[in-house]
Amino acid sequence: MLTMSFSVRKAVFPAAGLGTRFLPATKAQPKEMLPLVDKPIIQYGVEEALASGVENIIIVTGRGKSAIEDHFDVAFELEAFLSARGKTELLEEIRKVSNLINVSYVRQGEPLGLGHAVLMAEPLVGDESFAVILADDVIDATPPALAQMIKVHEEVDGPVILVERVRPEDISNYGVIAAETIRPGVYKVTDMVEKPPREQAPSDLAIIGRYILTPDIFGALRATREDRSGEIQLTNGLKHLLKDRPVYACEVTGVRHDTGNKLGFLKAVVYFAMQRPDLAGPLREYLKTMT
């Protein structure tokens, strides 16, 4: 059953990155299409949006990303083949997502940062609150991570970013917030620092790949200067927005996998395989034989 949301109806998926950390596998295949067991990474995020009542999906793509569009499109030949062979379970599985969501695409000519990718979606988002989901962060949570955020968004009537407590030795890999506690797991953000040195981090609350943004983020991003690499960073846009309105954070309840790095990806494959009754037993026995 869907958890219906009317305050957030659209989710933006930035998917124009080059996936260089997974070369050569991503030379001709989008990183977002790498499979966790038998389902591509991006589908986990789309299913999370759907389970949170968000059915309008906007994917920001780039050159070489046509496989993403093909994946969420209707595959007439494949469906006819499966139907003729009586493979109804597989037929239902491939139809499940494409039949339940509305997908739109916008091209980002160059990967000029997450903030730039969000700006590319402005014509499709319009004047309403929307979610941003980074597919690299695959989150197993009940209720879904996005649904947790939507609940907070409806309480505070403002932008919400998802955060997670991380180890001190990992903190410099993330954007980090300084915040005041509103209640357990919900914070009012007072500052954001992008990838601070461990000793300068304002907290252990790291920003992870989910955002609920209000439409004034677009003006803030347009006013945001490019960083030294020539990119517009979403964190910097949010810092600009913070001057004019409150921004909030929601601490995730669930298990997050960072599939954007090789070890995190391998851990996620094992994790989701262990959720499968048909694979968990044999995989566990195999892992016992590893030395």
Side-chain angles (χ1 to χ4, degrees):
M1 180 180 295
L2 299 183
T3 305
M4 294 307 296
S5 166
F6 299 102
S7 61
V8 179
R9 303 184 307 125
K10 299 174 182 178
V12 174
F13 284 75
L18 300 176
T20 53
R21 283 185 285 183
F22 281 86
L23 286 169
T26 51
K27 179 183 177 183
Q29 174 182 224
K31 175 188 65 175
E32 296 82 7
M33 292 300 296
L34 294 175
L36 295 181
V37 187
D38 54 8
K39 194 160 56 179
I41 290 171
I42 193 170
Q43 186 170 330
Y44 286 85
V46 169
E47 290 181 354
E48 178 187 323
L50 181 62
S52 303
V54 180
E55 299 180 1
N56 297 289
I57 306 300
I58 301 165
I59 302 179
V60 182
T61 65
R63 185 178 180 277
K65 301 285 185 168
S66 58
I68 297 175
E69 298 183 30
D70 291 341
H71 179 70
F72 291 109
D73 199 358
V74 177
F76 294 106
E77 298 86 352
L78 178 58
E79 291 185 13
F81 173 83
L82 294 174
S83 180
R85 297 297 191 277
K87 298 181 181 292
T88 55
E89 288 187 10
L90 284 175
L91 181 61
E92 290 173 5
E93 184 67 27
I94 66 167
R95 282 178 172 172
K96 182 172 64 176
V97 172
S98 59
N99 285 350
L100 291 176
I101 60 174
N102 302 310
V103 188
S104 303
Y105 299 92
V106 60
R107 287 288 290 263
Q108 184 182 20
E110 298 178 75
L112 296 177
L114 179 56
H116 183 265
V118 171
L119 267 175
M120 297 300 298
E122 182 179 9
L124 296 176
V125 168
D127 189 25
E128 60 183 281
S129 296
F130 64 102
V132 174
I133 295 180
L134 307 188
D136 279 355
D137 279 335
V138 180
I139 303 174
D140 183 23
T142 304
L146 185 59
Q148 296 176 37
M149 298 178 70
I150 290 172
K151 182 179 179 182
V152 174
H153 170 67
E154 291 172 345
E155 290 175 5
V156 301
D157 191 27
V160 179
I161 58 181
L162 194 63
V163 294
E164 181 181 57
R165 296 190 184 276
V166 301
R167 300 179 304 174
E169 56 266 34
D170 296 328
I171 201 73
S172 61
N173 297 323
Y174 296 88
V176 184
I177 66 168
E180 302 168 354
T181 302
I182 296 176
R183 60 177 173 81
V186 180
Y187 308 89
K188 184 177 180 181
V189 178
T190 57
D191 195 11
M192 285 170 271
V193 183
E194 185 66 27
K195 297 183 178 179
R198 173 176 175 172
E199 61 279 4
Q200 295 178 20
S203 74
D204 62 349
L205 290 169
I207 302 169
I208 57 176
R210 303 288 185 276
Y211 307 79
I212 293 179
L213 304 175
T214 46
D216 46 358
I217 188 62
F218 297 120
L221 287 169
R222 280 190 289 272
T224 299
R225 298 177 117 186
E226 298 174 350
D227 64 10
R228 284 178 293 181
S229 63
E231 298 184 347
I232 298 175
Q233 300 299 340
L234 181 56
T235 299
N236 292 337
L238 284 166
K239 287 187 70 170
H240 194 282
L241 186 64
L242 192 58
K243 299 174 185 176
D244 300 317
R245 69 171 303 159
V247 175
Y248 301 88
C250 170
E251 188 174 350
V252 66
T253 301
V255 179
R256 178 184 71 98
H257 299 274
D258 179 4
T259 66
N261 67 80
K262 293 172 185 176
L263 181 59
F265 176 81
L266 292 172
K267 288 180 178 179
V269 171
V270 174
Y271 177 91
F272 285 103
M274 295 298 286
Q275 312 303 310
R276 292 272 297 266
D278 58 327
L279 297 175
L283 178 58
R284 184 177 292 107
E285 292 304 311
Y286 172 70
L287 293 174
K288 289 177 182 178
T289 69
M290 302 293 289
T291 57

